[in-house]
Amino acid sequence: MVEILETGTGAQALARTLHEHEMRLRAIERSAQAAYTSIEGGTMDIYDEEGQLKGSVGVQPDGGVALVPVNTDPPPTPMPPTVEPVLAGLVIGWAGTWDDSYATPTDFALVQVHVGPAADFTPDLSTHVATITAQLGGTVTVAVEGYTPVWARLVAQNTAQITGPPSAAVQGTPRQAVGQDLIDGIISEVKLATDAVTAAKIALGAVTEGAIADNAVTAGKILAGSVTTAHLTALAVTAEKIAALSITAEKIAALSVTADKLAVNSVTATKIAAGVIDATHVKAGSLTADRLSIGTDGNLIADPSFEGETSVQRVAAVPFWSIVSPGNNTPKALRVDATNATPVDRNIPLTLAPAQPGQKVWLSTDYLVSADWVGDRVSFFAQWLDTNGLSLGHSTISTSGPVVRGTWQRLSGVPDSAAPAGTVHLRISAATAASTAGTVTFDNCSGRIVMASGAVGARAELSPRGLQLYDDEGEEAVALVTGRPNYVTLSNSGLPVATIDQNGNAGFADLAVAGKLTIGGDPIEEHLTLGARGLVAVDYAATSINASTTDYGFLELAFNAEGARMYRVVLDAYADPSVAGGELVLTLRDGGNATPTISSLQIQSAIYPMASANFHRVRIETIRSGWSFGVGLHRLLTTFRVQSGPAGQTVRLFGGSNHPGLFYIEDVGPYLAETGVYNSGGGTATAPKQKLTKTYAATWSGSYSNRGSYNSYYGNKCMQGYYSSTNGIQASLIGFSSALATDLAGATINKAEVYLYFDHWYSNSGGTAVIKAHKHTSRPGTFSSDAEAQSIAWGKNVGKWVDITAVFDSTTWRGIALDPNSSSSAYYGRARGYGETYPPQLRVTYTK
């Protein structure tokens, strides 16, 4: 070893060997732990990161091959069960949700159903009556001896057969078949053996109305096909002689019951069991259009405002639910009472309807939560069911955030989840969270199937809330719905090319506007006028021109003056006197719209002494407004001459190809008033004036009914015009910051503008805003304003700045009024107010 280390070749070989071993070790560490592993006649144990055995896979001690979990965590606590009474038993259900977990564990196996004699019973093998295996929940029907109350609890079990904590207990009482025991003097079901009365035992015509006690005939006492017309006297069996649901289809011989054997109105809805009358029992052609009543609005819920017998039957067998008066603008409503109740979620089914996979449903309800209710959620949901009536999932709308108490509220929407595979029915129910006090009242419930052109991919969905369109990937492309953001995305071959989002922001590849374009409420031309426009005329001089002591013309330029613009006129060239001495006189003249001459109006001049005979740069400049020039065409001429120099002196003005003379006219921006003052250097009592532009946000607003008292119904919204006699001709007042008064004190208003956003007009094409001024410093109780008005055409959903200088011409005004004082629909509109999006603003340009 020593010899190897001492030789370079040996050290290199050792290093290579160590490197190869390291690479092999890294490769082993990176490879799958059991990529080529098999289990030969035994098991392989599975451990977690802490080394604890969690299971084994392979051949087990009994010879079977399986994955056996061990040491797993107990499952969570199920939500309390739903319990509904049925004849001699209970229907116990689980909604597939958990009291202390948001998700179902992956090793979920089943939920045990336990029934005990008291609310605090401990679930064990003796109380285990049924099992629910579906992860999404389900219902089971269990038989219960006697008619005394019992309690149901749920216990979850995982694949390792480990059970979790039991749920809260829910009470239920089985429903009795007959409300009382045997009464002497009648033959009831306990006196007759099943199928004891047959056709051979009844004499023809022996069964008459007087021979049958009320509710004595039940389904279990009639042999199938035994009752025929020959055994009944005309009109002998009436409604009060038949126990509810006792006569079913299999108990009546074909064609045995004819019209002459039935008393008028004797067969009513309460006497016919659900599902008994099906297609095989309906005579062909007997159901005609005049016998059917079809809901015109598509509501799946019968008696949605709970006024009729259907709703009375709904609540008859459901604890804590009742029909109360009044409802929300209806005579009655549905109420759940939590007073002294076990604190569990409560729900009541309202309808059962056919459904199919992929369907969505629009749900809505009015609800009123009492002030003392202590729950935290009100829900309305559709439960998707399979052919066995087991739950496959839920589509739910629920309150979000704190529940509003004491006033009627509206809950509506289309849940995102659709009916899963295997769905054949849907059940719509109202539900509330657990509470130990108070009530929740429901009214005007509605469930409607969403009209859709498909379940996935590109499709259209139409529901009472609006229209939604989806692209090929199933992504929402157009949303025109109420109660949520609206937007439109346009695509080409799956690639989005334009979007209008929920806030009104838009993005386009290209945009062409045939009419007026506004930005932030200002017309685009207003933005363009905020800065200089640049050169409006220019000329370059590369030729020399000579002059002596008489004015001689040099360069001419023409331009059109706008009154509200400022212009700079500049001549910049080289002057070269023939001899030293004297002065160069430059003059700028304005010929108006006629040809200028050396005698035209002088508007600027400059004098340069010529101390040497060398050429040098000279310049003449003026800045003035379009109003000073005079609006319209102006032809400007520069002239020059020498004075006070040697006899015979001349001068030339020129520029070269690489150093040209310049004569140009430049638009330098909007009109600016003169604000300077003379100052002798000893200080002045009055500071120079400034031209200022300030924007003031609205600080209050409101609407006034009949141009009179403030109408709190509209809050800060600004209504104007006439819609109905309810509010008459409406007007609005808008006030602005108190800083307005301070800023305008002693000022001269140059321009006043207001920004308003009208989101509604009576006509879709828009309307006319009538704007006035007012002097209110805060919102008054009654309406008043200045009489002078300015009318401006306005579009729907348009916000813009408009010039109101004509009416806001005094520094004492503090806000504006919207007051058409006309019943014409052309003036009926609504503008956004203080505290809303796109609120009113006032922009004042003043000199002070």
Side-chain angles (χ1 to χ4, degrees):
M1 179 64 69
V2 174
E3 182 179 2
I4 292 175
L5 292 175
E6 290 177 350
T7 62
T9 303
Q12 293 176 358
L14 176 61
R16 283 196 301 271
T17 301
L18 293 175
H19 179 69
E20 290 175 357
H21 283 299
E22 180 180 4
M23 293 301 100
R24 291 176 181 176
L25 178 60
R26 290 182 180 179
I28 293 172
E29 291 175 343
R30 287 195 301 268
S31 64
Q33 294 179 337
Y36 304 99
T37 301
S38 63
I39 302 174
E40 305 293 340
T43 61
M44 181 172 65
D45 293 335
I46 303 172
Y47 297 86
D48 61 15
E49 294 179 352
E50 298 178 353
Q52 184 179 13
L53 180 66
K54 304 300 289 186
S56 64
V57 61
V59 180
Q60 303 302 318
D62 62 356
V65 178
L67 170 64
V68 179
V70 296
N71 297 324
T72 58
D73 295 329
T77 306
M79 288 296 288
T82 59
V83 178
E84 298 181 8
V86 294
L87 188 64
L90 299 172
V91 175
I92 302 174
W94 175 55
T97 56
W98 307 93
D99 189 35
D100 50 5
S101 175
Y102 289 105
T104 300
T106 56
D107 62 348
F108 169 85
L110 52 87
V111 168
Q112 301 173 358
V113 180
H114 293 261
V115 174
D120 59 350
F121 79 93
T122 300
D124 55 28
L125 289 177
S126 65
T127 62
H128 188 185
V129 296
T131 297
I132 298 174
T133 59
Q135 290 190 16
L136 294 177
T139 60
V140 294
T141 302
V142 298
V144 179
E145 295 183 1
Y147 301 110
T148 58
V150 294
W151 280 262
R153 304 184 77 175
L154 302 178
V155 176
Q157 178 179 312
N158 62 18
T159 54
Q161 297 186 359
I162 296 176
T163 57
S167 71
V170 178
Q171 186 186 55
T173 304
R175 182 161 56 85
Q176 298 185 45
V178 179
Q180 59 186 11
D181 293 328
L182 177 64
I183 299 175
D184 292 336
I186 66 168
I187 298 178
S188 62
E189 57 181 344
V190 299
K191 298 296 185 180
L192 293 176
T194 302
D195 298 334
V197 180
T198 61
K201 303 297 184 181
I202 303 175
L204 296 179
V207 181
T208 62
E209 180 178 6
I212 304 176
D214 292 345
N215 294 327
V217 181
T218 60
K221 302 307 179 183
I222 303 175
L223 182 65
S226 64
V227 180
T228 63
T229 54
H231 294 85
L232 299 177
T233 60
L235 308 176
V237 180
T238 58
E240 64 272 11
K241 302 300 182 181
I242 306 175
L245 307 180
S246 62
I247 299 181
T248 58
E250 66 272 12
K251 302 299 184 180
I252 304 175
L255 302 179
S256 62
V257 180
T258 57
D260 61 327
K261 301 301 181 182
L262 298 176
V264 177
N265 296 327
S266 61
V267 180
T268 59
T270 58
K271 302 303 181 183
I272 303 175
V276 168
I277 300 181
D278 53 27
T280 61
H281 294 85
V282 179
K283 181 180 179 181
S286 62
L287 292 182
T288 56
D290 62 326
R291 301 298 182 185
L292 300 176
S293 176
I294 302 176
T296 58
D297 65 352
N299 191 357
L300 299 176
I301 300 175
D303 192 20
S305 56
F306 311 104
E307 316 298 335
E309 183 64 26
T310 299
S311 296
V312 174
Q313 295 180 32
R314 282 185 179 127
V315 302
V318 184
F320 307 108
W321 293 84
S322 61
I323 305 299
V324 297
S325 297
N328 186 22
N329 297 319
T330 63
K332 298 181 180 180
L334 175 68
R335 175 173 294 173
V336 58
D337 190 339
T339 304
N340 300 321
T342 304
V344 296
D345 292 358
R346 307 219 174 267
N347 67 78
I348 183 171
L350 299 178
T351 191
L352 182 68
Q356 60 185 8
Q359 278 186 336
K360 289 185 176 181
V361 62
W362 181 83
L363 303 170
S364 69
T365 183
D366 296 336
Y367 67 94
L368 173 64
V369 176
S370 66
D372 58 341
W373 190 69
V374 296
D376 61 358
R377 185 182 68 260
V378 175
S379 302
F380 202 60
F381 67 91
Q383 187 176 21
W384 308 105
L385 309 175
D386 63 11
T387 54
N388 297 319
L390 298 179
S391 175
L392 299 176
H394 296 77
S395 294
T396 306
I397 56 173
S398 297
T399 53
S400 59
V403 177
V404 178
R405 289 166 167 77
T407 60
W408 281 100
Q409 302 292 316
R410 185 70 171 167
L411 181 64
S412 67
V414 177
D416 292 333
S417 57
T423 296
V424 296
H425 287 97
L426 71 84
R427 178 190 294 131
I428 299 177
S429 303
T432 65
S435 176
T436 56
T439 63
V440 178
T441 308
F442 295 86
D443 201 1
N444 303 315
C445 298
S446 183
R448 292 177 170 85
I449 296 297
V450 174
M451 302 299 293
S453 59
V456 296
R459 65 190 188 277
E461 292 185 358
L462 181 64
S463 69
R465 70 174 181 174
L467 173 68
Q468 293 168 269
L469 305 181
Y470 297 82
D471 60 20
D472 291 338
E473 284 70 41
E475 296 293 330
E476 192 176 53
V478 176
L480 303 176
V481 297
T482 58
R484 54 155 291 184
N486 292 320
Y487 56 87
V488 175
T489 296
L490 306 180
S491 300
N492 183 11
S493 300
L495 181 67
V497 295
T499 297
I500 302 175
D501 71 9
Q502 60 268 27
N503 297 316
N505 303 313
F508 299 95
D510 294 295
L511 179 66
V513 180
K516 187 177 291 293
L517 175 64
T518 63
I519 300 177
D522 283 312
I524 185 64
E525 57 266 25
E526 293 293 329
H527 288 271
L528 297 177
T529 62
L530 296 178
R533 296 176 181 173
L535 294 175
V536 295
V538 65
D539 187 66
Y540 304 98
T543 301
S544 63
I545 296 179
N546 287 286
S548 58
T549 57
T550 302
D551 277 318
Y552 200 88
F554 183 47
L555 295 174
E556 177 187 345
L557 276 178
F559 80 106
N560 277 285
E562 297 180 27
R565 305 299 297 177
M566 300 292 292
Y567 299 94
R568 174 191 288 121
V569 183
V570 175
L571 172 67
D572 190 316
Y574 285 99
D576 182 20
S578 58
V579 295
E583 298 171 332
L584 168 67
V585 180
L586 293 175
T587 305
L588 179 63
R589 301 179 185 276
D590 184 0
N593 58 7
T595 302
T597 68
I598 58 174
S599 301
S600 294
L601 176 66
Q602 177 181 315
I603 59 175
Q604 185 63 294
S605 66
I607 298 177
Y608 289 90
M610 296 181 290
S612 68
N614 299 324
F615 63 85
H616 54 280
R617 201 83 181 182
V618 294
R619 179 185 179 92
I620 186 172
E621 177 179 352
T622 188
I623 294 178
R624 58 180 57 200
S625 69
W627 285 312
S628 177
F629 274 110
V631 177
L633 176 64
H634 289 267
R635 297 175 63 179
L636 304 182
L637 174 66
T638 54
T639 64
F640 68 105
R641 60 184 170 86
V642 295
Q643 67 179 19
S644 305
Q649 183 186 34
T650 61
V651 65
R652 68 184 180 117
L653 292 184
F654 70 95
S657 59
N658 294 325
H659 49 280
L662 299 174
F663 185 28
Y664 61 89
I665 303 170
E666 180 185 7
D667 181 312
V668 293
Y671 170 75
L672 189 64
E674 184 181 3
T675 57
V677 297
Y678 288 103
N679 188 334
S680 63
T684 59
T686 304
K689 293 183 178 181
Q690 301 180 66
K691 182 181 180 182
L692 302 170
T693 299
K694 291 190 176 181
T695 301
Y696 305 89
T699 54
W700 57 267
S701 60
S703 299
Y704 294 80
S705 299
N706 293 299
R707 303 180 70 239
S709 59
Y710 168 66
N711 187 352
S712 61
Y713 175 81
Y714 291 105
N716 294 329
K717 298 181 185 299
C718 300
M719 310 298 297
Q720 72 154 50
Y722 180 88
Y723 181 76
S724 70
S725 59
T726 302
N727 295 305
I729 298 176
Q730 299 183 89
S732 295
L733 293 174
I734 303 170
F736 298 92
S737 170
S738 59
L740 177 66
T742 304
D743 293 340
L744 295 186
T748 299
I749 295 179
N750 305 118
K751 188 178 184 181
E753 303 163 280
V754 68
Y755 174 86
L756 295 173
Y757 190 101
F758 275 89
D759 57 17
H760 177 71
W761 290 101
Y762 182 86
S763 172
N764 193 55
S765 60
T768 301
V770 179
I771 301 175
K772 300 177 181 179
H774 71 74
K775 298 181 179 179
H776 304 293
T777 57
S778 61
R779 187 172 62 200
T782 56
F783 176 82
S784 65
S785 71
D786 186 43
E788 191 176 13
Q790 186 170 353
S791 298
I792 302 171
W794 223 291
K796 181 179 289 188
N797 282 321
V798 170
K800 63 181 179 180
W801 287 96
V802 293
D803 190 335
I804 59 168
T805 310
V807 295
F808 205 90
D809 53 0
S810 169
T811 58
T812 61
W813 300 126
R814 296 295 173 260
I816 67 163
L818 301 178
D819 180 31
N821 194 16
S822 171
S823 59
S824 170
S825 61
Y827 297 102
Y828 180 72
R830 180 182 63 226
R832 301 279 175 88
Y834 165 71
E836 297 187 282
T837 55
Y838 309 115
Q841 300 177 68
L842 180 67
R843 185 167 63 199
V844 182
T845 301
Y846 60 94
T847 303
K848 182 180 179 180

